[in-house]
Amino acid sequence: MTKHLTENCIFCKIIRGEIPSHKVAETEKSYCFLDINPLSEGHCLVIPKYHAEYFHLVPDEYLADILPLARKVALASGLADGQYNLLQNNGPMAHQQVFHVHFHIIPKPNPEQGLKVGWPMQKVEQNDLKATLDRIKEKL
Ligand code: 5GP
Ligand code: ZN
């Protein structure tokens, strides 16, 4: 799998063991470890063993492997009752800091701990929703 990793990426180095990490679990195609600056206790990152900056650049076989591992870790964390966020950021404007695709598993045991989200919801007309739908479906 190392043939899909790059030299200077911090997460590629973690996969190769060149930088230490608290490994939670791994498969042939994915690696899960504790976030070094957790938003709450048990905050994990799940990454493909394939260097890609963005979600849409990860091959299907790696994506197919990563979510079952994320679920396994979420369940093992005792959060099966739904107290966690599964989060994935793409690009600096979307709060991405490390440019190797990663999914966060962030425990949210109570309102005080875990991810704090400001969710800027907008009001839209039905016509605008329809135009958006058409724009996306045209390219699918
Ligand atoms: P992003 O903002 O890109 O979605 O999140 C990057 C995450 O990677 C952050 O939560 C940050 O704490 C974590 N992180 C950055 N560098 C390291 C590292 O060297 N080791 C570990 N375990 N986590 C890291
Ligand atoms: Zn990488």
Side-chain angles (χ1 to χ4, degrees):
M1 285 303 138
T2 50
K3 67 179 188 286
H4 298 301
L5 303 178
T6 62
E7 268 311 299
N8 294 320
C9 165
I10 193 162
F11 285 178
C12 285
K13 287 182 179 177
I14 283 177
I15 291 167
R16 281 196 298 267
E18 293 167 15
I19 292 178
S21 69
H22 293 90
K23 182 175 98 176
V24 176
E26 74 179 314
T27 67
E28 190 199 343
K29 292 192 170 64
S30 310
Y31 189 90
C32 178
F33 57 111
L34 294 181
D35 195 294
I36 204 165
N37 292 128
L39 293 187
S40 55
E41 196 256 337
H43 182 169
C44 294
L45 300 173
V46 196
I47 62 178
K49 292 181 178 177
Y50 182 103
H51 181 83
E53 289 194 3
Y54 306 117
F55 171 73
H56 58 269
L57 300 176
V58 180
D60 283 355
E61 65 264 32
Y62 287 85
L63 291 182
D65 190 78
I66 207 164
L67 285 183
L69 182 61
R71 174 169 55 196
K72 219 171 155 181
V73 171
L75 289 170
S77 305
L79 299 162
D81 53 354
Q83 294 167 314
Y84 64 96
N85 288 94
L86 182 64
L87 178 73
Q88 200 276 317
N89 300 320
N90 290 279
M93 280 195 291
H95 309 290
Q96 184 180 12
Q97 290 177 344
V98 177
F99 286 83
H100 179 129
V101 167
H102 50 279
F103 288 79
H104 296 258
I105 302 171
I106 308 168
K108 184 77 181 169
N110 58 56
E112 283 71 45
Q113 288 178 278
L115 185 66
K116 302 213 173 10
V117 192
W119 204 260
M121 286 194 283
Q122 304 172 38
K123 283 211 182 319
V124 287
E125 301 297 329
Q126 287 297 316
N127 283 348
D128 293 330
L129 285 180
K130 178 69 170 55
T132 301
L133 189 63
D134 291 345
R135 178 178 63 77
I136 296 170
K137 286 177 80 172
E138 206 177 281
K139 297 271 167 58
L140 279 176

